[in-house]
Amino acid sequence: MTSTLLRGRTLSFVRWPQTMDDHSAWRYEEDGGLLIRDGRIVATGAYADVEKQADDGTRKIDHRPHLLLPGFIDTHVHVPQMQIIASYGAELLDWLNTYTFPEETKFANAQHGRRIARLFLDEMVRHGTTTVVAYCSVHKASAEAFFAESHARDMLNIAGKVMMDRNAPEGVLDTPQSGYDDTKALIAEWHGKGRQLYAITPRFAITSSPEQMEMARALRREHPDLHMQTHLSENHAEIVFTQQLYPWSRDYTDVYEHYGLLGKKSLFGHCIHLSEREADALSGSGSVAVFCPTSNLFLGSGLFDYQRFRQRDKPLRIATATDVGGGTNYSMLRTMDEGYKVIALNGEKLNPFQSFWQITRGNAEALSVADKIGTLEEGTDADIVVLDASATPAMRLRMETAQTLAQELFLLQTLGDDRAVREVYVAGRAAKSDMAN
Ligand code: GUN
Ligand code: ZN
């Protein structure tokens, strides 16, 4: 049994940091150690203490002066959109019709799906993200390709084939029955295989008929432990169209509520234009609202009111995500930089500890997987990111005047990207340095 001992400045969170002085909300070791065996963290703390538990064969890797954090978690991405990221000039529904749906038709070709799945996970690792919650295309083969690639890398990823049976081109449509059957087969093959988890994935109310929504309800009933992911209240035209398609509904959220899709493992992308009733319904059911700042800005969708949702009487559970390819960057650092600006436009601030809590433990809690990832705690999986706050000349220069950990984290978020990610460990194995380039 081989073991690895990492040395560096370890930082992880135990709970939401109320303020920048809320020191008991995080654990920071200036000279920290992480002992890894069989893909898990078996000891953590001051390096001198952790080293005592190493054995003669332990491989020691010294990452000082860099930071060691839990690998980043991205809670909403679209794997088939890698080649339409950065497409000009459209709001959501036009963007879907002009770029997204035609692009996703290519995933009928399994070989294309395998190529993109490989390049997608390469890109995630390059940017320090060790877990994603992914939408594959409508084609069963695209989800198979994604899970096969993820499993080969021993990554903990959550994914599903999208269910969509109307309001899109023929090449990206299933039927209520085939969407159900394909989902069942994928769950049977992949859910719980190694670290793979399946998410039931009706794309959104516009592209699912009432019959398909019934099928999504049935799948949830039959597999209550699975995640469910969809989109909600992203764009005004989308909201109006949804109301026309489901005229009996009180509001957009009510459509999903009606089909039994709210709950603690339900992830709703965007949630920008929610009424108080909708926010209450999400909160009461423990559903998660996913904040996708770069996408919301790029598509001109609106400003997610993070602090209002957190601070209301009935707070929302919130996760953050890139939403690639509506989102414009694969990096959770870039994402939180844009998130900071969106929150600032709403007259609030998100401090750097809160920000790094969010993309590690916060997202793990939102996915109900904090017992496995997001914390660096003993017994959890060794998914770790190594961050260098002096990665570029501009960052190095700025670091000359940074005096505190908070300042270092904030400049990492504001100026950092994949270049600040020195190494990434997936289940204890160095994954970034292992890539071809
Ligand atoms: N709503 C339905 N599908 C999508 C998608 O692929 N991206 C975004 N941003 N919103 C959606
Ligand atoms: Zn999305």
Side-chain angles (χ1 to χ4, degrees), residues 71 129 157 173 178 190 232 339 358 362 376-377 391 420 428:
T129 297
N157 286 315
L173 293 184
S178 74
W190 290 106
L232 170 63
Q358 180 69 73
L376 300 184
E377 277 172 19

Side-chain angles (χ1 to χ4, degrees), residues 13 15-23 25-26 310 351-358:
F13 296 87
R15 60 171 169 78
W16 164 259
Q18 295 288 349
T19 66
M20 297 242 263
D21 300 320
D22 189 7
H23 294 273
W26 59 87
R310 270 201 71 88
N351 81 47
F353 291 107
Q354 293 166 338
S355 209
F356 280 82
W357 168 86
Q358 180 69 73

Side-chain angles (χ1 to χ4, degrees), residues 116-222:
I116 298 296
R118 174 170 52 80
L119 295 174
F120 189 89
L121 290 177
D122 275 355
E123 215 50 49
M124 287 295 127
V125 167
R126 198 191 315 286
H127 286 83
T129 297
T130 48
T131 289
V132 297
V133 187
Y135 289 70
C136 301
S137 78
V138 73
H139 314 92
K140 182 170 170 236
S142 84
E144 274 163 353
F146 179 80
F147 279 123
E149 186 65 37
S150 172
H151 186 54
R153 295 167 189 241
D154 205 9
M155 292 179 81
L156 194 168
N157 286 315
I158 305 173
K161 85 151 213 106
V162 291
M163 300 161 67
M164 49 193 294
D165 67 346
R166 65 172 176 181
N167 291 319
E170 193 58 36
V172 285
L173 293 184
D174 55 12
T175 66
Q177 192 61 47
S178 74
Y180 174 89
D181 292 344
D182 287 350
T183 300
K184 286 296 266 193
L186 287 164
I187 293 169
E189 189 178 356
W190 290 106
H191 184 70
K193 184 165 181 174
R195 304 180 75 199
Q196 308 315 305
L197 297 173
Y198 196 85
I200 299 163
T201 310
R203 186 177 202 121
F204 67 157
I206 289 177
T207 49
S208 284
S209 65
E211 294 73 26
Q212 181 154 76
M213 298 293 264
E214 287 291 357
M215 289 302 199
R217 183 214 298 269
L219 287 163
R220 278 217 53 205
R221 280 221 190 102
E222 291 158 19

